[in-house]
Structure formats: structure tokens, C-alpha cells
Amino acid sequence: MKKYLVIVESPAKCKTINKFLGKDYHLMASFGHVRDLPGKSMGIDIEKDFEPSYVTMKDKTKVLKEIKSAAKNSELVYLATDPDREGEAIAWHIAEATKLPADKIKRIVFNEITESAIKQAITSSRNIDINLVYAQQARRVLDRLIGYTLSPLLSKKIQRGLSAGRVQSVAVKIICKREKEIQDFIPKEYWVIETDLKTVKQEIFTAKLVAKDSIKEKFEVSNEADAKIVKDHLESSTYSIDDIVKKRIKRNPPIPFITSTLQQEASRKLNWSAKKTMMMAQKLYEGMDINGEAVGLITYMRTDSTRLSDSSKLAARDYIKNIYSDKYVGSPIKTSKKKSNVQDAHEAIRPVSIEYPPEKIKNALTTDHFKLYKLIWDRFIASQMKPAEYDRTQIVICASGKERYLLRATGSVLFFDGFTRVYSEGSDEKKDDNQDKTLPLLQKEDSLNLEKVDTEQKFTQPPPRYTEASLVKELEELGIGRPSTYAPTLSTIQDRGYVTKDQKKLIPSELGMTTNDHLESFFNTILDLKFTAKMETQLDDIQDGKHQWNDVVSKYYKPLDDMMEIANKDMEKVSLGERNLGKDPKTGKDVLVKIGRYGPMVQLGLADDDDKPVFAGIGDDYDIKTITFAQAISLLAYPKTIGTFENNDIIVNRGKYGPYVKFEKSFISIPDTISLESITIDEAITLIHDKRKQDEQRIINSFTKADPPIEVLNGRYGPYIKCNKKNYKIPKDKEAAKLTVDECVDIIKNQKKSKK
């Protein structure tokens, strides 16, 4: 009998944590939430202060039974679910569902899966924080009330199967608002005028026209006629240096990652979705197989705090000193000022240990896990380094002639690379190449000769469409959502067909625009950005014990109920029809584009044809409003064989969860960085090799000579035995890595008997 029971969310954590605790500890996984509101009813008694009715999730009945059984035989139960509201709620639900006595339960939290962090957590165990639980409960109840109120209305008035949500509908509103700004934008003409100037030493550099008469007065050329006049003036002018300003500037290192900035940077540098970033980060946090040992590589990845532990900063500074020398070690950094809505429950996202530089463990990681780990590592190390220093020079040139014009040339020279030796921050903005140009050595009043004058017509541009990165940044700045909500929100609005993605740009679909217009007309308060942000703040207040959770829910539900009554009566029904694009030349069948239950799609053939119609999702590739016949035909061309490897076909196709490569019996997702239309054989083979590496990490042991062959594998829910395409659970008293073929056979036989 084990003295202590430790319950975590993920079986991967069990494997990693198990090596830190002694023989008196038994670890079990809850596999996430164990209870929730019912799936087929609202599950909230509005008349009884919004009392929720929780039910055990179907797939967790057995898990709870096993936890309860193990708890009976343990002196103490440590609930070690994730260190946030959601984790606190899961711990509370486990305690409630298993009816564990309060004096037998302790809550422990840790930000990193290391021996010191785990033991410190046990030493400083506490009771369940009921205010954290209430904050999560308020969010869940509010989301259920809004979803159950609005979704049926949208299904009835616009299209069957639609949904609405507290954060997702606001995210769609932000994207639709930007699209309307783009549609309403009227470009304004302007002209850029630049000169190539030559020094007495025959050095040529470029200067841009910025002012007339005085450098303080901005000068703009708005049409071709004026541009020609200015050009004529400049071509007949004499040039001299009016002023030179030299300044050494410092560029400070970036602060460590939080959830939102990690998602933004992974989008910019790796072209990843927020969902993929969090999936990769989750595995790095829970533990990767390094030389046969499960090692947690990063701290908890759902955080809005930039704080770092003193020990991690000291370790980073020692590493910088050893690898790059003393001159790169920065002063103790100041983290960004804590915002009022930052929970600050744990640290920033950083590597757990300096013992695992990315290159050292590269062969143990998949390509994607390595990319993300290196991004986190580099950002953390850079945050502890000295600023980069540049010598910035700005030269003001006077052109004297019929008029007096002023031109500017700016350049900079890197004096000390500092943190940029390790890390360079990505940006959504286009870089000005002139900023880093080296200028010739000049003195005030030096004369210059004109080489040429260039004029270029340009037009002001509309505001850019949001990317996943810039939308997350916008939501964060508005105070809407929290670290745990960004990725699922982005996935939901795309999965529902409200938004499509083209070259990283988020574009609202016709369905998204229509739905948003109707919600804004009747539920403007619910979609109000300040309203939603205030709601998030009040959830934080519940967490801090400042408000009763049901009072907050009541405050937001009453206006929603009133608006719903009006919408049911006055909202007009929308008809989103289908378009017939023409006939397929090969089959003679009609090619249609329409909104289906799972979003926009193309259809080959009609329902009353002899053969069943063929369907293909449009996904993020095209817009349902503008898709052409040729594009629709190209979508229907999949699955497609693009070549062979090891005498087997490589097939690419679109699936419910995105494009994929099919090779032998494996289905391998194609990442966002690779286009389905242009994927090459070499790119597909690389994906196949990565999948094999992942599969190898799954294999604990393989008995190929057994008849039939038997494998012991690492699975999502822990180790198991696979034989004849069937899976068998490994008893708790058996260690997976030490199982013999005979023991595997006995386990298989015994489980078969128990099933009968």
C-alpha cells in the first residue's frame, strides 16, 4: 500500500514526476476534467442563484472509481493539477466527485516539473482555494448561459449548427470590424522623392525629401504635377550638409515569454497557429524522453506573468558568462510593470534547466519540438544579456535653389551586438532598410553633388488584416480573454467557418459577417469590447474574494435575457444560398459551392444523381464568395499521389483537421508552413521521418519474434500493450519497461478472460 496518492492531469506528468518521489508515493492521472455541466441540457438552475448541476463525464467514471479506491488506501491525497483556475477547479471536482474527506486532501502547485519544485510544493501544500474555483465556475456558467441562449437563435435565424460564445463572438467582431475598415478605406495618393548624392570622395548615399524651408514643418507631395515641380527644383539646386546628429542608442533585450507573446512569436517565426504552439509547449512542459528519462523542459506555458525566479536568472547569467564572456552578462533585468489584470500565479515561460541547451538534445526531439524549445531558450537567455548598442547618425541636407528643401539620410552601425547575438525579435511591421545603412563620414557645411532625383507614386494603405499573432495581441491589450483562452478561441472561430486564413491573414467569411451583423444589432452589449473586458476583470475579482460569483453572473445574465426576448421576435431569418459554378468536364456533373454543416464546401454532383455527391471542404484556402470554378475543381482533385518512397505511394489530401500526408497506414498532418498545393516529395519525406521519430519515442519495447508480434507503447493515457491491433492495459504493479514477452502474454490472456 502506498502512503501518499498524487493526482495530476496528464499521464505524461506521472512518468516525469514519478522519478522525483519515493516509494511511498503513487501517481495517478485524471486526464483533465472529470465533471462538467451536462451535454444535452443547460444544467443551470437560474431560479436558484444559477446553481450548476455537474455530472461525471462519460469517459471519467472508471478514472474516478480508481482514484477513489486508491485514495481509501492512502493516508493523504495530493491534488497536483495545473497551477491555474482550471486546475484548481479540476482538483475541487475530483474531491467532490470522490467524496474525499477534507482532512485527507492537500492541494499542491508547481510551475516546473523538477525535483526541487515538486518537493517544495509538497512542503508548502495548502487547502483548495475555493475563490479560484468560483472564478472558474462563474466563467463556465456565463459561457454556458451565453452559448445556450445565442446558439439556438443563430441556428434558427441564420444557419443550423451555429454557435456563439462570450470571447469567440467578440474575436469575430474585431475581425469583421477591421474588414469593414478595409472595405471603406479610400486610398490617398502621395509621392516619395529621393536623391542620390555624391561626396567629394565620390561616395554615393541616398537622402529622402522631408521638409520645405524648416525641418520642423512636414512637407508632402500629393500629386504628379507637384512631384514634377519639386523634381525640377531639386535638379537645379546646390546641396550642402545642414546638420549632423550622432547618437549612441541602446536596444534593450526582450522580456521572457508569456502565453500571448509566445503564440505571437511562433506565428511570426515558425508560421504556427496558436493551437499548434500550445500543443507543442504542453509536451515540452509535461516531459520529453531524453536518454530514456522523462524530462520536463519548460515551465508552465499558460501564464501572463513575466516574473523569473532568482535561481533561473543566476543560472542564465552563469551560462552567458561561460559561453559568450562577461561582457554579455546584463544587469539584473526589470520585468515589465504588472498590469492590473495579470494573475501572476507563476513565472514566465522559460527553460527548466540550463543543463539542456537545445543543440545538446536536438536528436531526442522532433523537429517541431526542437524549434519551439529553441525559441523559448533563446528568448530567455537573451533576456539576461546586455542591450545591443548602435551608433545612429542622422544627416540633414539643404537643397538651395528656387526653393529651400530639406532632405534626411539616416543610418546606423552596430557597435555592440549584446543580446542580438542570441535572439532577434520578430515583427509584424515591415522593416525600414535605410535604418541600418552605413553613411559616409561627413562634416557640417560640406558640399555635395547631385547624381539623380527619383520620384515614386504611392498610395496610403488600409489597416492590415489581423493575423493570429496580432489578434492575440489585440485581445490581450483590450483585456479580453486569458492565457488559456487564446488558442481555443482562434481554433473555434475558424472551425465554425466564421473566419478563414489566407497567407496568415484572418478574413471573415460571409457567414461570419452575417452572424456578426445580427449579433451586433440585437446583442450589442454582449459584443461590446469594454463590457467583455470588464467581465474578465470581475472574474479576477471573484478569484480575489471581492465578489460573489453568482452576483456577477446575475449582473450579466439579466440584460442578455431581455435582449433575447426582442431578438426572438424581431430578428429576420437569413438565407445563405448555394451557387452552381458549372459542370465538371470529366463527369458532366454540377459543381456547387455552399455552406454545409461543418462550414463552406464544394460539391460535385446533386443529391438526386445516381452516384452520391462528392464533397471537399474549402477551409482556409478560398473565400466562398469569390471561389472560382477552377479552384473548386482543384479542391475536388484530392486525394492526390505526389510520388513514391520506399516503394509506397505518398498521398496528400484534406481532412477534417486540415491537410495531411498519407503514407502506408500513417496519416501525418501537414504544418502551416507547407502548402498542400505545392508540397514536394522531399518535404513529405521529412514529415514521414519526423513521424517515425515520434513513433520511436512511443515504443518502450517490441517483441517482433512473438507470434503474433507484441509491442509495449507509451500512449496518451500511459503505457499499454498492443497485440493484433488491440490494446491491453498494464496492471499497476507492473513496470512497463521491464515487462517480458511471457508477462505480456499473461496480461493479454487475463484481460481477455475478464472481458468474457
Side-chain angles (χ1 to χ4, degrees):
M1 182 186 85
K2 301 285 185 177
K3 196 172 182 181
Y4 306 110
L5 174 63
V6 181
I7 301 171
V8 296
E9 288 185 41
S10 161
K13 287 186 192 174
C14 291
K15 185 178 179 182
T16 312
I17 295 171
N18 193 51
K19 64 182 181 179
F20 301 134
L21 300 175
K23 61 182 180 180
D24 289 337
Y25 291 84
H26 174 52
L27 277 93
M28 296 183 73
S30 72
F31 304 98
H33 276 279
V34 295
R35 297 198 312 176
D36 196 6
L37 297 172
K40 295 184 178 180
S41 63
M42 183 180 284
I44 299 166
D45 193 331
I46 296 170
E47 302 301 321
K48 292 185 178 179
D49 281 339
F50 303 95
E51 181 181 323
S53 298
Y54 293 112
V55 297
T56 300
M57 298 165 74
K58 286 184 179 179
D59 57 340
K60 300 299 170 65
T61 304
K62 187 178 179 182
V63 170
L64 282 173
K65 186 178 179 181
E66 290 173 349
I67 289 174
K68 193 170 184 178
S69 175
K72 280 183 180 178
N73 299 318
S74 303
E75 289 183 15
L76 204 58
V77 178
Y78 290 105
L79 300 174
T81 46
D82 285 350
D84 53 17
R85 285 181 196 160
E86 215 68 28
E88 202 77 17
I90 292 172
W92 179 77
H93 280 295
I94 291 170
E96 290 289 302
T98 54
K99 295 181 172 58
L100 294 173
D103 60 353
K104 199 173 182 177
I105 296 173
K106 287 294 178 183
R107 172 79 167 117
I108 60 173
V109 293
F110 40 84
N111 185 47
E112 59 186 53
I113 303 180
T114 60
E115 184 171 5
S116 59
I118 303 299
K119 290 184 176 178
Q120 173 62 30
I122 289 175
T123 303
S124 55
S125 61
R126 58 170 172 78
N127 295 326
I128 291 173
D129 187 335
I130 197 63
N131 286 332
L132 276 173
V133 176
Y134 285 155
Q136 188 275 344
Q137 181 166 275
R139 180 201 62 77
R140 186 72 186 95
V141 169
L142 273 169
D143 287 349
R144 173 57 67 96
L145 289 170
I146 292 171
Y148 258 70
T149 301
L150 297 184
S151 297
L153 177 72
L154 296 179
S155 292
K156 182 173 71 173
K157 299 286 188 177
I158 300 177
Q159 181 181 288
R160 184 180 169 216
L162 292 186
S163 72
R166 183 175 56 90
V167 177
Q168 78 173 59
S169 295
V170 173
V172 172
K173 173 184 176 174
I174 292 171
I175 295 168
C176 290
K177 182 183 177 185
R178 176 60 54 86
E179 194 67 19
K180 289 173 182 176
E181 289 172 356
I182 293 169
Q183 291 170 359
D184 295 341
F185 182 79
I186 300 173
K188 182 182 177 183
E189 180 184 8
Y190 70 99
W191 287 73
V192 174
I193 300 176
E194 292 183 333
T195 61
D196 280 358
L197 300 169
K198 184 187 286 186
T199 69
V200 292
K201 294 182 179 179
Q202 308 301 303
E203 300 164 299
I204 297 176
F205 66 100
T206 301
K208 183 178 179 180
L209 178 66
V210 292
K212 186 178 180 182
D213 297 327
S214 169
I215 193 67
K216 294 180 180 179
E217 295 179 17
K218 190 176 180 182
F219 178 63
E220 293 181 345
V221 181
S222 58
N223 57 66
E224 186 175 9
D226 288 347
K228 188 177 185 306
I229 292 170
V230 173
K231 181 178 180 182
D232 290 342
H233 288 173
L234 290 174
E235 287 177 336
S236 61
S237 296
T238 58
Y239 293 82
S240 62
I241 304 299
D242 188 69
D243 193 17
I244 298 176
V245 179
K246 292 183 178 180
K247 187 178 180 182
R248 179 157 294 174
I249 60 170
K250 289 186 177 182
R251 187 174 158 210
N252 290 322
I255 57 177
F257 280 131
I258 59 176
T259 303
S260 59
T261 53
L262 177 64
Q263 292 173 2
Q264 290 164 40
E265 198 72 338
S267 174
R268 295 182 189 118
K269 290 192 170 181
L270 306 178
N271 202 26
W272 286 5
S273 66
K275 180 180 179 181
K276 179 175 181 178
T277 301
M278 297 311 289
M279 285 174 60
M280 295 293 114
Q282 183 83 34
K283 183 62 178 171
L284 292 173
Y285 166 68
E286 291 181 346
M288 302 293 292
D289 191 333
I290 310 294
N291 298 324
E293 184 179 8
V295 177
L297 291 175
I298 65 170
T299 53
Y300 192 57
M301 63 284 157
R302 293 185 183 90
T303 175
D304 49 12
S305 170
T306 58
R307 181 171 54 82
L308 293 171
S309 67
D310 291 339
S311 60
S312 71
K313 288 189 279 191
L314 288 172
R317 294 159 71 79
D318 286 342
Y319 176 85
I320 294 163
K321 181 179 177 180
N322 293 333
I323 301 298
Y324 303 108
S325 82
D326 278 339
K327 69 178 183 178
Y328 283 92
V329 179
S331 303
I333 69 161
K334 295 179 181 178
T335 54
S336 63
K337 187 178 180 182
K338 182 181 172 183
K339 298 177 184 177
S340 59
N341 61 349
V342 171
Q343 295 174 44
D344 204 37
H346 22 73
E347 288 186 64
I349 304 169
R350 62 166 175 83
V352 162
S353 172
I354 295 298
E355 292 179 24
Y356 298 105
E359 295 298 334
K360 181 179 177 180
I361 58 173
K362 184 174 183 178
N363 291 335
L365 305 179
T366 66
T367 302
D368 283 346
H369 285 118
F370 171 76
K371 286 178 181 177
L372 189 62
Y373 181 57
K374 188 174 188 311
L375 192 65
I376 294 168
W377 174 280
D378 289 349
R379 176 90 165 213
F380 168 64
I381 294 297
S383 75
Q384 302 302 304
M385 296 176 77
K386 279 189 176 173
E389 295 184 37
Y390 298 83
D391 284 333
R392 175 67 54 83
T393 302
Q394 181 177 283
I395 301 174
V396 178
I397 300 108
C398 177
S400 300
K402 291 181 180 179
E403 300 282 356
R404 184 176 189 267
Y405 296 99
L406 294 166
L407 304 97
R408 182 187 291 141
T410 305
S412 61
V413 176
L414 181 65
F415 175 76
F416 174 63
D417 54 0
F419 76 91
T420 63
R421 182 163 180 180
V422 173
Y423 185 82
S424 140
E425 194 167 12
S427 173
D428 293 320
E429 304 297 326
K430 189 176 180 181
K431 186 179 177 182
D432 183 357
D433 294 332
N434 290 325
Q435 291 294 320
D436 295 326
K437 286 187 177 178
T438 303
L439 296 173
L441 189 61
L442 295 164
Q443 299 294 327
K444 194 172 180 180
E445 298 183 358
D446 280 357
S447 60
L448 301 165
N449 292 320
L450 177 68
E451 283 289 297
K452 65 174 181 176
V453 179
D454 287 326
T455 61
E456 182 183 3
Q457 181 190 37
K458 291 195 173 186
F459 293 91
T460 54
Q461 296 298 308
R465 288 188 173 101
Y466 285 102
T467 62
E468 287 201 356
S470 60
L471 182 61
V472 167
K473 184 178 180 181
E474 181 77 1
L475 289 169
E476 183 186 37
E477 289 178 351
L478 291 168
I480 295 169
R482 288 296 180 261
S484 61
T485 64
Y486 300 134
T489 296
L490 289 167
S491 295
T492 299
I493 63 177
Q494 293 174 67
D495 292 344
R496 298 290 184 186
Y498 295 134
V499 174
T500 60
K501 190 159 62 173
D502 180 25
Q503 298 295 310
K504 296 175 71 170
K505 304 296 184 184
L506 297 175
I507 305 170
S509 64
E510 183 178 7
L511 177 64
M513 294 287 276
T514 301
T515 303
N516 179 67
D517 287 344
H518 279 65
L519 287 177
E520 281 203 286
S521 296
F522 292 91
F523 300 93
N524 61 318
T525 306
I526 301 298
L527 267 66
D528 181 76
L529 304 184
K530 291 182 180 178
F531 175 91
T532 308
K534 185 179 179 183
M535 189 186 295
E536 296 284 6
T537 301
Q538 295 208 328
L539 292 176
D540 293 339
D541 288 344
I542 295 169
Q543 175 178 315
D544 295 336
K546 297 177 182 177
H547 293 306
Q548 294 295 318
W549 75 269
N550 39 18
D551 289 344
V552 172
V553 172
S554 177
K555 182 178 178 180
Y556 289 105
Y557 178 73
K558 183 62 172 69
L560 174 65
D561 194 36
D562 294 340
M563 287 182 277
M564 188 65 190
E565 186 177 344
I566 297 169
N568 262 319
K569 182 177 64 174
D570 296 341
M571 185 183 286
E572 292 183 5
K573 192 167 184 179
V574 176
S575 176
L576 286 164
E578 62 185 40
R579 286 193 295 137
N580 191 318
L581 301 179
K583 292 190 179 292
D584 175 27
K586 290 184 179 179
T587 62
K589 293 183 177 180
D590 290 276
V591 177
L592 310 176
V593 59
K594 60 193 291 188
I595 299 282
R597 184 175 181 183
Y598 300 105
M601 66 179 186
V602 293
Q603 174 180 322
L604 177 64
L606 303 175
D608 53 2
D609 287 347
D610 292 337
D611 299 325
K612 287 185 178 180
V614 176
F615 303 96
I618 290 176
D620 299 337
D621 301 286
Y622 304 107
D623 188 330
I624 190 171
K625 301 190 294 291
T626 59
I627 187 170
T628 65
F629 176 77
Q631 291 166 339
I633 290 294
S634 72
L635 291 173
L636 292 164
Y638 294 93
K640 182 192 295 184
T641 300
I642 62 169
T644 59
F645 175 58
E646 296 177 348
N647 297 321
N648 287 292
D649 287 340
I650 297 178
I651 299 168
V652 295
N653 197 7
R654 287 180 173 82
K656 183 179 179 182
Y657 302 106
Y660 63 86
V661 171
K662 183 177 185 297
F663 181 73
E664 295 179 326
K665 296 180 180 179
S666 295
F667 295 84
I668 308 158
S669 293
I670 297 175
D672 294 341
T673 49
I674 301 174
S675 166
L676 174 65
E677 285 74 21
S678 61
I679 185 170
T680 64
I681 291 289
D682 290 341
E683 288 171 331
I685 290 172
T686 299
L687 294 176
I688 292 166
H689 283 312
D690 279 351
K691 178 66 165 59
R692 285 176 172 174
K693 186 183 283 188
Q694 287 178 331
D695 290 344
E696 286 170 6
Q697 291 177 347
R698 288 181 60 235
I699 300 173
I700 299 173
N701 211 336
S702 181
F703 303 106
T704 55
K705 294 182 179 179
D707 186 22
I710 297 172
E711 288 182 308
V712 183
L713 304 172
N714 266 319
R716 182 182 176 188
Y717 304 115
Y720 66 97
I721 295 169
K722 185 171 184 178
C723 179
N724 258 351
K725 299 183 180 180
K726 293 183 179 179
N727 300 335
Y728 300 90
K729 186 177 178 182
I730 298 173
K732 293 174 185 176
D733 59 345
K734 299 288 185 182
E735 191 173 339
K738 295 181 180 179
L739 286 174
T740 65
V741 65
D742 292 335
E743 288 175 319
C744 289
V745 170
D746 287 342
I747 290 169
I748 292 168
K749 286 180 178 177
N750 289 334
Q751 285 193 25
K752 282 183 176 178
K753 288 177 183 177
S754 65
K755 284 182 181 179
K756 288 180 182 178

